[in-house]
Amino acid sequence: MTTAMCAALVLLVSSALWPMSSVSAVLETSAATLCDVDLEYSESGSCVERLQRRLNELGLNCGNQLSVDGAFGAATRMRVFAFQGRNRMTMTGEVGSVTRSKLANPDQGLGVACDSTVESQIRAVFPDSIANKAVRVARCESGLNPIAVGLNTNGTKDVGVFQFNTGGTLQEYLPGATLAVKVDNALSSADNIHAAYDLYRARGWQPWTCGNA
């Protein structure tokens, strides 16, 4: 039997044992092997495409898909920030050897709660009298995206559904003994929303840029 025939037989057997979507996922994972080079914002090329595919593999749900265009732009950097944050790494937004190693064997992926679930979580925490307002603020701040990370001109970052700032509100209101743990918790929609209600009770809508939404 030729090599090609063997390969076809393996694929046929695989298709019988697993749905084609599962077989495709395995092939995609194999195709997303990262280049052994450092990557950062504004770079482009096939190695960035491999990075984007890997980031997608770790969080393809609820339309949470990154464009595989080979351009390391703001969207790709935000996803790298989120991956690093969820895995309790320093959020540099750059992909060096340590981040590559963690991408190959992550502690946490990038799956997110869907918009409808996030909205329900907000309504379950905030009183009915202000729940609509809270949903509008969160939608304006992050698009209800649990892994949204915004980069500020002073180097701080705004994290999660209610965009807690790493230089202030996140450290004050998110649970955890270290900044890395606090960031990880901020990237959980449930923890972020509970912290947002605590912040609201202490300071009203003033802390949020979208407080007038």
Side-chain angles (χ1 to χ4, degrees):
M1 184 179 294
T2 67
T3 301
M5 291 174 63
C6 289
L9 180 59
V10 169
L11 182 58
L12 180 62
V13 172
S14 297
S15 300
L17 294 175
W18 299 290
M20 281 306 297
S21 59
S22 298
V23 175
S24 297
V26 171
L27 294 174
E28 288 174 6
T29 299
S30 177
T33 303
L34 300 178
C35 297
D36 189 22
V37 296
D38 295 352
L39 297 170
E40 60 183 17
Y41 182 74
S42 81
E43 293 190 14
S44 61
S46 60
C47 289
V48 176
E49 290 182 0
R50 293 187 185 189
L51 169 65
Q52 291 167 331
R53 289 192 184 97
R54 181 57 180 154
L55 291 169
N56 276 341
E57 289 170 5
L58 296 172
L60 272 180
N61 63 312
C62 297
N64 185 29
Q65 184 163 357
L66 191 65
S67 295
V68 180
D69 57 9
F72 199 135
T76 299
R77 182 172 61 184
M78 184 182 82
R79 198 63 61 88
V80 173
F81 281 147
F83 174 80
Q84 291 171 329
R86 277 204 169 168
N87 286 274
R88 301 189 178 183
M89 307 168 69
T90 302
M91 288 194 295
T92 63
E94 300 173 356
V95 180
S97 59
V98 176
T99 298
R100 283 197 304 275
S101 177
K102 187 60 68 174
L103 281 163
N105 186 26
D107 299 318
Q108 293 193 63
L110 290 169
V112 296
C114 299
D115 288 7
S116 58
T117 300
V118 174
E119 180 171 341
S120 295
Q121 289 175 326
I122 293 171
R123 293 186 182 281
V125 172
F126 283 78
D128 290 345
S129 58
I130 57 171
N132 287 339
K133 168 85 168 182
V135 170
R136 291 197 303 271
V137 170
R139 192 180 297 279
C140 176
E141 290 280 334
S142 69
L144 300 181
N145 182 1
I147 58 171
V149 180
L151 177 62
N152 300 309
T153 55
N154 65 0
T156 62
K157 298 171 185 72
D158 299 323
V159 182
V161 174
F162 278 94
Q163 293 287 274
F164 280 86
N165 183 264
T166 56
T169 53
L170 182 145
Q171 297 203 44
E172 186 174 356
Y173 286 92
L174 268 296
T178 66
L179 178 59
V181 174
K182 289 175 181 289
V183 168
D184 182 13
N185 289 332
L187 290 164
S188 157
S189 56
D191 287 337
N192 192 292
I193 291 165
H194 279 94
Y197 183 50
D198 290 340
L199 176 56
Y200 165 78
R201 287 191 298 175
R203 297 168 55 184
W205 298 113
Q206 176 274 330
W208 286 283
T209 301
C210 294
N212 293 324

